[in-house]
Amino acid sequence: EAEVAQSPRYKITEKSQAVAFWCDPISGHATLYWYRQILGQGPELLVQFQDESVVDDSQLPKDRFSAERLKGVDSTLKIQPAELGDSAMYLCASSLGGQGARGETQYFGPGTRLLVL
Amino acid sequence: AQSVTQLGSHVSVSEGALVLLRCNYSSSVPPYLFWYVQYPNQGLQLLLKYTTGATLVKGINGFEAEFKKSETSFHLTKPSAHMSDAAEYFCAVIGGFKTIFGAGTRLFVKA
């Protein structure tokens, strides 16, 4: 069964350093999502792509976070510089992105757990 | 704007007992509603969803949920809990085009 791949699974960094996370969605999925999940909370959408275009990044802290999906396939989320409050699980998800997009199932990867010291 | 409230951050049941996890939502447009499950250090997996049509939705692993518009609720149930059901459960709503997740309910199953 096709899965969403993410790497690394775990990352420990010091504050003020740069970190990057990678996501490879299920083949053929046009929509890609990055979520941040703080311990004890539900996921919060950071950015949503339709193919290579950003359709929602209203919750992305743009002074330090950036996301790209240059060829409309895999995606990278970067944090520079990292802050203590960025410690969280970063989840990537993908969906087909067709006409029924609003009700589509999102398929989640295993996540990257980030710890900022 | 839409929001989701999950009542009870922790729920504990005995193995074989009824599982009831509560979810209430608000949405200015007809909502799409989802329940996801998350096991430790893993991503989320869809249990079931309501988009249109039948208000009683059946999902995987014996779970089901009923959309009640008048009560703005979408509670998750399972007749008989199994030890393997112990996990975190998230209710989510799509009112416009953004998915909003609840804070989650951790289910404990006692032997």
Side-chain angles (χ1 to χ4, degrees):
Chain A
E1 182 176 296
E3 296 180 342
V4 176
Q6 289 188 248
S7 67
R9 290 293 310 275
Y10 303 92
K11 179 70 177 179
I12 301 175
T13 191
E14 294 183 344
K15 64 179 182 180
S16 79
Q17 296 298 304
V19 292
F21 313 131
W22 176 79
C23 172
D24 191 14
I26 293 172
S27 178
H29 280 195
T31 307
L32 185 147
Y33 314 78
W34 282 103
Y35 288 91
R36 177 171 59 187
Q37 186 181 18
I38 295 170
L39 192 64
Q41 299 182 20
E44 175 192 27
L45 181 69
L46 292 176
V47 61
Q48 179 178 337
F49 290 91
Q50 180 71 23
D51 298 310
E52 66 276 8
S53 300
V54 173
V55 297
D56 187 341
D57 63 356
S58 57
Q59 299 303 309
L60 189 70
K62 299 181 186 62
D63 57 335
R64 298 185 301 107
F65 285 65
S66 64
E68 61 183 15
R69 193 184 184 199
L70 293 177
K71 297 183 179 179
V73 182
D74 58 339
S75 176
T76 301
L77 178 70
K78 297 179 180 178
I79 308 175
Q80 183 174 18
E83 296 181 352
L84 296 179
D86 296 332
S87 295
M89 174 82 90
Y90 290 83
L91 294 164
C92 179
S94 70
S95 64
L96 276 171
Q99 286 190 334
R102 189 164 162 256
E104 286 182 343
T105 297
Q106 294 180 35
Y107 296 86
F108 284 79
T112 296
R113 185 169 293 282
L114 173 67
L115 178 61
V116 182
L117 302 176
Chain B
Q2 59 263 20
S3 65
V4 176
T5 301
Q6 292 186 238
L7 301 175
S9 58
H10 298 83
V11 170
S12 181
V13 300
S14 298
E15 192 172 22
L18 171 72
V19 175
L20 171 60
L21 305 182
R22 300 177 187 273
C23 173
N24 289 89
Y25 71 91
S26 68
S27 177
S28 56
V29 299
Y32 287 2
L33 296 158
F34 303 78
W35 275 101
Y36 286 86
V37 61
Q38 185 177 34
Y39 296 98
N41 292 316
Q42 294 186 26
L44 280 68
Q45 179 185 11
L46 181 71
L47 280 176
L48 49 81
K49 65 179 178 181
Y50 168 80
T51 53
T52 58
T55 57
L56 181 62
V57 181
K58 295 186 184 299
I60 63 172
N61 301 339
F63 285 94
E64 63 181 36
E66 186 170 11
F67 170 58
K68 292 187 176 181
K69 183 179 178 180
S70 61
E71 299 178 8
T72 61
S73 68
F74 191 56
H75 301 331
L76 182 71
T77 60
K78 181 174 180 178
S80 177
H82 191 272
M83 296 296 289
S84 61
D85 295 326
E88 186 100 22
Y89 291 80
F90 293 94
C91 181
V93 63
I94 300 179
F97 289 93
K98 179 185 291 188
T99 305
I100 303 297
F101 285 86
T105 297
R106 182 165 296 278
L107 176 65
F108 296 92
V109 182
K110 300 175 292 186

